[in-house]
Amino acid sequence: MKYVTLSIALLFGTLSFAQTEVTVNTAAANADQVYYSLLNGVVATAPLAEWDLAFEITGFTSSILVNTAKGHLVYQTDAAITDWASVNVPDEASWIALNNSETNWSEGALTYGSTVDEEGFDLGWGTYNMVTHVVAGTRIYAIQMVDGGWKKLRINGLSGGVYSFTYADLDGSNEQNASLVKADFTGKNFGYWDMSSHQAVDHEPMAAEWDLVFTKYLSYIPAGDAWYAVAGVLANMPVECAQLDGVDPITVEHGAAEGQYGTDINVIGSDWKVFNMTTFMYEYVTDRAYFVKDVAGNLWKLVFTGYGGSATGTMTFTQQLMSATAVAEVDLGSAMIFPNPAIGQAHVVLDLPVQDAVVSILALNGQELRTQRLNGITRSTVHSIDLAGIPSGMYMLRVAHAEGVIGSRLIVQ
């Protein structure tokens, strides 16, 4: 691979107006998880350290994550779930060290040993009963917390959409019986739990609202035969990504990626950057481009060009809309823009199930440039949008109303 230092890489964002440069800030030491929509920009930012366990809300795998990126170490003990009191001292030599998968959200640390993909009924932490449709817990886990202290944990079961679980200090003190209700997180991938405050945490946005999360996570490094904390980008469950190497990232078209898309969440990952121990600078792959099919079906090209290191946690890249499957250039069926490209002023005709809406013009990094409230909308009304002061380039026109949000691409000349 070819690499270039930061000062050269940042030039990518200036080569074409359609390639918008974006900087996402995960804060110093990558303390924040930033959920990002390629269409709408940053959707949510939440502290990485505010959760310890994450429970999968949809699907049959019932994955449970442990926040190893926070610094926790998690082990599967050799005790049966009925032998709760016997787990009372650390025994890492006899226990199995676990980690969340870096390729699949549905393979959390506590799903180790799962046979669900082989049509079995072992979910790792528990066994599914085909008659009662209840998952009964079968294992005890031990977690060395980031502060060095130890907790033992058992997932008692999953019944009626409620996870029940128990955790305590290894000596049995400070025992907590807790539950997390799936319905409280409807539309999200995971519901989160903080073991210090003993309460659920609403950590992530709705699954349909984000494509990528910029975060710190653990990655297996074969050269060291160990898991290391890295900073990078993971994809949402339905998002497909392709990595193309040996290409000109500025000119390569999305057709070159056909047949190469995958659903591994770490296709982008962290290896677009390398720290040079001689120059003490980050270097970036310059003959690589990523193509991403977002949650709505739109196709984007991404080129990563900068990382601020743990001092700032910033990650810089360019993004370019290559194919708008979910949003049409001039006609969504509910919104029509003309002329497009537009100069000075654009006209919009809306066919909405409501009479009131807010129309916004967004840069491709999600920055809101212009907002206008419309009332008394009818199918025959033409609404004018002032484009004065908006530089030439490609933007998204978003229409938000009581029934939802629609969008269309707008080009300003």
Side-chain angles (χ1 to χ4, degrees):
M1 299 302 166
K2 302 175 184 176
Y3 292 91
V4 66
T5 56
L6 175 61
S7 59
I8 298 174
L10 290 179
L11 294 176
F12 278 133
T14 66
L15 295 180
S16 170
F17 72 84
Q19 294 173 346
T20 303
E21 184 177 89
V22 180
T23 295
V24 172
N25 188 357
T26 66
N30 307 110
D32 289 336
Q33 293 188 291
V34 181
Y35 294 86
Y36 186 83
S37 163
L38 289 164
L39 191 61
N40 298 315
V42 174
V43 176
T45 299
L48 173 67
E50 74 176 357
W51 65 276
D52 300 300
L53 304 173
F55 298 82
E56 193 171 26
I57 302 304
T58 61
F60 296 104
T61 51
S62 300
S63 172
I64 301 177
L65 309 175
V66 178
N67 194 349
T68 52
K70 181 177 178 178
H72 296 337
L73 302 176
V74 58
Y75 300 87
Q76 179 179 300
T77 75
D78 51 6
I81 196 168
T82 53
D83 295 331
W84 180 247
S86 70
V87 180
N88 50 34
V89 293
D91 189 10
E92 300 99 303
S94 300
W95 297 341
I96 301 172
L98 305 177
N99 277 290
N100 306 314
S101 168
E102 60 178 314
T103 61
N104 190 338
W105 293 115
S106 294
E107 296 177 6
L110 302 196
T111 60
Y112 172 78
S114 170
T115 61
V116 172
D117 290 342
E118 292 78 33
E119 298 184 358
F121 305 103
D122 186 346
L123 276 63
W125 59 265
T127 302
Y128 175 71
N129 187 308
M130 289 187 63
V131 177
T132 64
H133 304 295
V134 170
V135 184
T138 56
R139 294 180 172 89
I140 297 175
Y141 301 91
I143 302 176
Q144 185 175 23
M145 310 297 282
V146 66
D147 62 3
W150 285 87
K151 295 286 185 182
K152 56 183 176 181
L153 165 71
R154 69 173 186 245
I155 311 301
N156 300 314
L158 171 59
S159 177
V162 179
Y163 289 96
S164 60
F165 51 103
T166 301
Y167 54 95
D169 296 342
L170 286 188
D171 63 5
S173 62
N174 299 313
E175 183 171 295
Q176 297 287 328
N177 290 300
S179 62
L180 184 137
V181 181
K182 282 188 174 186
D184 292 342
F185 300 91
T186 300
K188 302 191 176 189
N189 292 336
F190 288 89
Y192 295 79
W193 189 266
D194 176 23
M195 296 173 73
S196 59
S197 64
H198 314 301
Q199 62 183 1
V201 178
D202 191 7
H203 180 79
E204 70 179 42
M206 300 294 284
E209 295 179 349
W210 64 278
D211 305 307
L212 307 170
V213 58
F214 292 72
T215 185
K216 179 167 61 177
Y217 64 97
L218 261 60
S219 176
Y220 178 72
I221 309 298
D225 189 26
W227 292 79
Y228 293 95
V230 298
V233 184
L234 301 176
N236 197 355
M237 288 185 180
V239 172
E240 297 181 43
C241 302
Q243 175 182 309
L244 293 187
D245 288 325
V247 299
D248 181 342
I250 304 302
T251 61
V252 65
E253 294 292 331
H254 62 276
E258 284 304 314
Q260 300 189 52
Y261 289 94
T263 56
D264 284 358
I265 64 176
N266 67 338
V267 171
I268 297 176
S270 66
D271 63 352
W272 45 270
K273 59 186 179 339
V274 172
F275 188 74
N276 187 315
M277 296 299 294
T278 301
T279 64
F280 297 101
M281 296 182 66
Y282 279 96
E283 299 177 347
Y284 309 94
V285 183
T286 60
D287 58 350
R288 175 181 297 175
Y290 297 98
F291 290 92
V292 180
K293 295 179 181 178
D294 69 16
V295 292
N298 304 304
L299 179 59
W300 303 80
K301 178 168 69 175
L302 276 64
V303 179
F304 282 80
T305 60
Y307 176 52
S310 61
T312 65
T314 56
M315 303 184 201
T316 301
F317 61 100
T318 62
Q319 67 176 65
Q320 180 180 4
L321 182 62
M322 306 298 290
S323 175
T325 303
V327 292
E329 289 192 17
V330 295
D331 193 353
L332 269 174
S334 295
M336 180 178 292
I337 305 172
F338 64 94
N340 197 7
I343 301 175
Q345 193 175 69
H347 305 290
V348 183
V349 178
L350 300 174
D351 181 7
L352 302 178
V354 295
Q355 291 187 319
D356 303 314
V358 175
V359 177
S360 303
I361 297 175
L362 307 175
L364 293 187
N365 64 0
Q367 180 184 4
E368 191 173 87
L369 304 177
R370 190 71 42 86
T371 298
Q372 183 173 334
R373 179 172 294 278
L374 303 179
N375 305 107
I377 297 170
T378 68
R379 295 181 181 180
S380 60
T381 304
V382 177
H383 307 276
S384 297
I385 308 297
D386 182 19
L387 303 178
I390 296 181
S392 298
M394 183 167 63
Y395 301 89
M396 296 306 300
L397 185 138
R398 182 179 66 188
V399 181
H401 53 84
E403 301 297 325
V405 178
I406 60 174
S408 184
R409 186 169 63 175
L410 169 65
I411 298 175
V412 177
Q413 288 187 337

